[in-house]
Amino acid sequence: AVMKTRYVDGTMKVGELDIPGETDDYILIVCAICHPCQVNDSISGVAVAVDYARRLTEHLKGKKPGPYGIKVLFLPETVGSIAYLSNNEDLIERFKFGIFTEFVGHDDTLRFQRTRQDDHRLDKVVRYAIDKITDGSFKEGPYCHTIITNDEKVTNAPGVNIPTVAINRWPGDNTDPSIIWPFYHTSDDKPSALNAAKLSEVSLIYDVMMEVLQKDFFPRRTYRGPLFLSGLEWEFDWKANRQLKQATQNIMFHLEGDKSAFDIAAEVNLDFQVVLTVLNAMKKIGLIENSLEPWN
């Protein structure tokens, strides 16, 4: 075959969905579109992101999603994220977390690829969300060695360093995916090859991880010594709720500003929402102050 090519000036079309937050910082969702007429690879990731964004905006009804805005990018694979970031370098430091999703609509086991930082706060939150929704039925591995790499190798590249996880159903453990999933890179990767329940599963994972990222904060105590619990005006009856009582007692030893609410929940083995309930009550009566970043 002889392919005649030429270079011409043109444009690269990029889809950009922006949901502003309470600060100028963002959670970045990257959706690659790598080739036409194939569904799992990779329009399935686009479907999940659009579903999440649609449900989020309907729920918010004009309100802010939290401290972080949500920016969803719909890009030609790899070259699209390179072009976008090179034309928007001022945004790079404002992207605090990155998520890349594709190949998620078929029946294979869900795979979670960690950030290049490998033990980032985002890694812990995403692991928690996937474990909660799949009941522990997933596989996990390091950056660029778990699934076939895509735009996360751009957004989390040296000099860019946006902590970016990847969520995928990369078929099987074999380097040749066609052995495990025969539709890979063929026209048989069509809507009939999709499992809608598998798409919904990933969309629910988005719900959980985004809720944690938006509600998490780093609490720091404003008091010294033990608390006179029975003399404090809590919004909840900690005497009647053993879990809240236990949480209150355990949480008090982790309020130096170096751990987030999510970190504390894992350390004291309590549900994140329970810890939030206690911390928000403490914040309301001035016992703690909070920050989106660790205290100095």
Side-chain angles (χ1 to χ4, degrees), residues 38 41 103 106 108 148 169-186 188-189:
Q38 292 175 43
D41 187 15
F103 217 107
H106 66 103
D108 205 64
I148 189 168
R169 295 188 195 276
W170 181 245
D173 294 313
N174 200 295
T175 54
D176 183 358
S178 63
I179 296 174
I180 307 296
W181 201 70
F183 304 149
Y184 180 69
H185 277 189
T186 75
D188 286 330
D189 183 5

Side-chain angles (χ1 to χ4, degrees), residues 24 40 75 223 276 284:
D24 291 333
N40 273 287
L75 307 160
Y223 62 90
L276 273 186
K284 189 169 184 178

Side-chain angles (χ1 to χ4, degrees), residues 112-145:
F112 156 46
Q113 179 177 273
R114 298 189 295 269
T115 64
R116 188 166 69 90
Q117 290 80 353
D118 200 58
D119 193 30
H120 192 269
R121 181 173 158 208
L122 178 63
D123 294 311
K124 299 172 185 177
V125 171
V126 174
R127 183 184 299 116
Y128 165 80
I130 296 178
D131 182 65
K132 186 170 185 176
I133 297 301
T134 68
D135 197 24
S137 180
F138 68 98
K139 296 183 179 180
E140 175 185 335
Y143 177 76
C144 286
H145 287 85

Side-chain angles (χ1 to χ4, degrees), residues 75-240:
L75 307 160
E77 181 186 359
T78 307
V79 67
S81 51
I82 291 172
Y84 181 87
L85 292 176
S86 68
N87 282 277
N88 294 278
E89 290 195 33
D90 58 311
L91 287 176
I92 291 175
E93 64 179 18
R94 291 164 56 189
F95 291 136
K96 299 304 179 183
F97 312 101
I99 301 156
F100 177 82
T101 307
E102 73 160 4
F103 217 107
V104 290
H106 66 103
D107 292 330
D108 205 64
T109 303
L110 202 64
R111 292 169 187 266
F112 156 46
Q113 179 177 273
R114 298 189 295 269
T115 64
R116 188 166 69 90
Q117 290 80 353
D118 200 58
D119 193 30
H120 192 269
R121 181 173 158 208
L122 178 63
D123 294 311
K124 299 172 185 177
V125 171
V126 174
R127 183 184 299 116
Y128 165 80
I130 296 178
D131 182 65
K132 186 170 185 176
I133 297 301
T134 68
D135 197 24
S137 180
F138 68 98
K139 296 183 179 180
E140 175 185 335
Y143 177 76
C144 286
H145 287 85
T146 304
I147 56 176
I148 189 168
T149 55
N150 288 284
D151 292 75
E152 73 276 9
K153 70 186 176 206
V154 177
T155 58
N156 211 161
V160 182
N161 288 329
I162 302 167
T164 307
V165 298
I167 300 173
N168 199 306
R169 295 188 195 276
W170 181 245
D173 294 313
N174 200 295
T175 54
D176 183 358
S178 63
I179 296 174
I180 307 296
W181 201 70
F183 304 149
Y184 180 69
H185 277 189
T186 75
S187 57
D188 286 330
D189 183 5
K190 54 191 176 182
S192 61
L194 278 178
N195 182 335
K198 296 299 182 179
L199 289 176
S200 297
E201 181 180 62
V202 179
S203 196
L204 291 174
I205 290 168
Y206 266 65
D207 289 345
V208 175
M209 66 182 175
M210 291 296 193
E211 181 181 32
V212 174
L213 291 174
Q214 294 286 18
K215 291 184 177 180
D216 198 19
F217 62 88
F218 288 81
R220 183 172 69 170
R221 60 177 172 77
T222 59
Y223 62 90
R224 292 182 178 182
L227 291 176
F228 176 35
L229 293 180
S230 59
L232 295 172
E233 296 180 2
W234 297 100
E235 284 191 332
F236 53 85
D237 184 3
W238 62 268
K239 296 178 184 178

